[in-house]
């Protein structure tokens, strides 16, 4: 194969983990599930098997509701715990605030997102403790109802188990529900090297938006209720919102294949490793300043304007400036190859050396 042909096969896209397709096993599972006749609306054997698989993985009984998008998972999860006059405590840089186009407010019929400060896009438990007390005696204020964290955060940081447990303790003491937006749940899990139970219900999490689309499925998310008292309400809310898919087996089958033989964990480990490879290769290049620790599949750095412009002109695709002037975000995924990463590093190095 010629060098020009090799060049044409290089993946230059580092803008998002949503740019990848799906793992072959997931696509095959969808095709298999599409054959034959099965009961609709989640009454099929695939959905039942995946619900049991998630109960096994989390080591506790759970109620599972499959949806096709993370936005639906987050908004529906929050809606069962937050009245229109309620407040969701979250970080200003949380996914539900910056990337959901007001869906949480829409699904809750007007609940307010109230920001809790903290470094690295994470809620500070110390600050949260000062804001979590119920204010039911004040009819002029929104009523705190839910705390929501993004794990992994939008800037690639990860809540430690101690941080999650402290937030969970504060929620319990103040009668608040605890929601975890886990769009990149697997990436955080393998980075912490802990059990799914330890990162969720054992830390006090009541409901998890279990994301899979960014890590190997085509379009499949799950709302996992550890607090099963809200399961009946979720049934109505999912249907009323238009997210009760008739051929649900095509969603649940994706998650079944995703969980089988630890595909989800292997995919996440690979994506995280590729981001770390970017970190190690770019941090030694003059003019590039690494921003924070690379723990998940997102890498941030500061680049000179000319380098950003030239890399984009070469066909690389990534986001810049959203997180600050000349701040670049590079995102890897389960299908990112070492050659793709090395090609980006080599291009950046060549530009730095050329001045």
């Amino acid at each position: 194969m010629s060098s020009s042909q090799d060049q044409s096969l290089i993946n230059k896209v580092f803008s998002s983990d949503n740019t990848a397709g799906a793992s072959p096993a997931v696509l095959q599972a969808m095709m298999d599930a599409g054959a034959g006749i099965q009961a609709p609306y989640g009454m099929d054997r695939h959905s039942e098997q995946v619900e049991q698989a998630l109960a096994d993985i989390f080591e506790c009984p759970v109620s599972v509701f499959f949806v096709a998008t993370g936005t639906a998972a987050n908004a529906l999860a929050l809606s069962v715990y937050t009245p229109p006059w309620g407040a969701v405590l979250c970080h200003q840089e949380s996914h539900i605030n910056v990337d959901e186009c007001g869906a949480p407010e829409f699904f809750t019929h007007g609940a307010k997102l109230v920001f809790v400060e903290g470094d690295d896009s994470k809620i500070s438990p110390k600050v949260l403790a000062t804001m979590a007390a119920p204010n039911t005696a004040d009819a002029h204020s929104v009523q705190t109802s839910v705390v929501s964290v993004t794990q992994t955060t939008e800037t690639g940081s990860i809540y430690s188990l101690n941080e999650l447990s402290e937030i969970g303790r504060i929620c319990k003491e103040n009668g608040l529900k605890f929601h975890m937006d886990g769009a990149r749940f697997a990436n955080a899990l393998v980075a912490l090297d802990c059990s799914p139970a330890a990162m969720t219900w054992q830390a006090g999490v009541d409901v998890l938006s279990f994301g899979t689309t960014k890590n190997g499925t085509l379009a499949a998310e799950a709302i996992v209720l550890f607090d099963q008292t809200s399961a009946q309400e979720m049934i109505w809310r999912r249907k009323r919102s238009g997210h009760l898919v008739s051929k649900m087996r095509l969603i649940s089958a994706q998650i079944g294949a995703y969980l089988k033989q630890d595909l989800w964990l292997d995919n996440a480990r690979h994506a995280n490793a590729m981001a770390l490879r970017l970190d190690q290769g770019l941090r030694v290049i003059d003019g590039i300043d690494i921003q924070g620790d690379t723990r998940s599949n997102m890498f941030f750095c500061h680049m000179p304007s000319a380098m950003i412009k030239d890399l984009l002109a070469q066909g690389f695709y990534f986001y810049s400036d959203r997180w600050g002037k000349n701040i670049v975000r590079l995102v890897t995924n389960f299908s990112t190859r070492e050659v793709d990463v090395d090609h980006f590093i080599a291009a950046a190095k060549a530009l730095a050396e050329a001045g």
Side-chain angles (χ1 to χ4, degrees):
M1 183 177 291
S2 69
S3 59
S4 61
Q5 287 175 313
D6 285 341
Q7 182 85 356
S8 69
L9 295 176
I10 295 293
N11 173 26
K12 295 185 175 183
V13 179
F14 292 93
S15 58
S16 171
D17 33 14
N18 287 319
T19 60
S23 293
V26 170
L27 294 174
Q28 185 61 52
M30 284 188 68
M31 292 183 64
D32 293 343
I37 302 298
Q38 290 194 49
Y41 301 112
M43 303 301 291
D44 58 279
R45 60 181 174 83
H46 294 282
S47 298
E48 293 173 356
Q49 290 170 355
V50 173
E51 182 162 359
Q52 183 57 55
L54 287 169
D56 293 341
I57 285 170
F58 286 102
E59 305 173 60
C60 70
V62 292
S63 293
V64 179
F65 297 84
F66 302 109
V67 292
T69 72
T71 298
N74 282 334
L76 283 168
L78 293 171
S79 73
V80 297
Y81 295 123
T82 317
W85 53 88
V88 178
L89 302 184
C90 61
H91 197 278
Q92 185 171 359
E93 295 175 351
S94 64
H95 188 269
I96 62 171
N97 180 52
V98 301
D99 281 313
E100 301 291 35
C101 196
E105 296 92 329
F106 178 79
F107 277 67
T108 58
H109 303 288
K112 186 176 183 179
L113 301 186
V114 176
F115 303 139
V116 182
E117 295 180 353
D119 297 332
D120 299 324
S121 303
K122 298 188 293 183
I123 287 174
S124 163
K126 183 177 180 179
V127 175
L128 176 64
T130 68
M131 302 174 63
N135 54 352
T136 53
D138 184 0
H140 303 282
S141 302
V142 290
Q143 307 301 304
T144 52
S145 303
V146 182
V147 174
S148 178
V149 298
T150 310
Q151 180 80 325
T152 306
T153 73
E154 291 296 278
T155 58
S157 58
I158 296 174
Y159 285 90
S160 69
L161 295 185
N162 285 339
E163 288 171 326
L164 292 172
S165 294
E166 184 64 8
I167 292 171
R169 180 189 64 79
I170 293 169
C171 288
K172 184 175 182 180
E173 289 179 353
N174 291 279
L176 305 179
K177 294 299 184 179
F178 189 2
H179 166 250
M180 177 179 285
D181 173 358
R184 296 184 176 94
F185 183 86
N187 301 95
L189 188 69
V190 298
L192 291 178
D193 191 24
C194 66
S195 70
M199 202 171 79
T200 53
W201 65 270
Q202 290 180 355
V205 173
D206 295 294
V207 56
L208 166 69
S209 298
F210 182 67
T212 72
T213 304
K214 295 178 184 294
N215 191 44
T217 66
L218 193 64
E221 312 284 313
I223 302 166
V224 180
L225 287 175
F226 304 107
D227 168 27
Q228 296 184 76
T229 61
S230 298
Q232 185 60 54
E233 182 175 344
M234 183 64 78
I235 290 173
W236 307 129
R237 285 186 176 273
R238 181 175 61 169
K239 174 59 179 178
R240 185 172 183 269
S241 66
H243 288 283
L244 178 61
V245 178
S246 58
K247 297 181 182 179
M248 191 68 78
R249 67 185 186 273
L250 299 180
I251 293 179
S252 58
Q254 294 179 60
I255 299 180
Y258 178 75
L259 299 175
K260 190 174 183 180
Q261 297 180 340
D262 288 344
L263 176 63
W264 63 303
L265 301 177
D266 292 340
N267 280 359
R269 289 190 186 99
H270 176 79
N272 288 5
M274 292 302 97
L276 185 59
R277 189 179 183 92
L278 275 171
D279 181 311
Q280 294 169 341
L282 292 174
R283 68 170 50 248
V284 297
I285 297 176
D286 289 340
I288 295 180
D289 182 23
I290 309 303
Q291 305 291 296
D293 297 327
T294 302
R295 301 197 61 200
S296 185
N297 65 318
M298 288 183 284
F299 166 79
F300 290 82
C301 68
H302 181 280
M303 283 186 177
S305 297
M307 182 179 290
I308 294 173
K309 181 179 179 181
D310 288 343
L311 286 170
L312 292 172
Q314 289 182 32
F316 291 100
Y317 184 39
F318 52 85
Y319 291 122
S320 63
D321 293 338
R322 175 176 173 179
W323 299 270
K325 180 65 175 175
N326 286 18
I327 300 297
V328 165
R329 185 189 79 166
L330 303 173
V331 184
T332 54
N333 61 69
F334 68 93
S335 67
T336 303
R337 302 168 301 171
E338 290 183 359
V339 66
D340 303 325
V341 170
D342 294 345
H343 186 62
F344 186 95
I345 294 169
K349 182 179 181 181
L351 290 171
E353 292 174 348

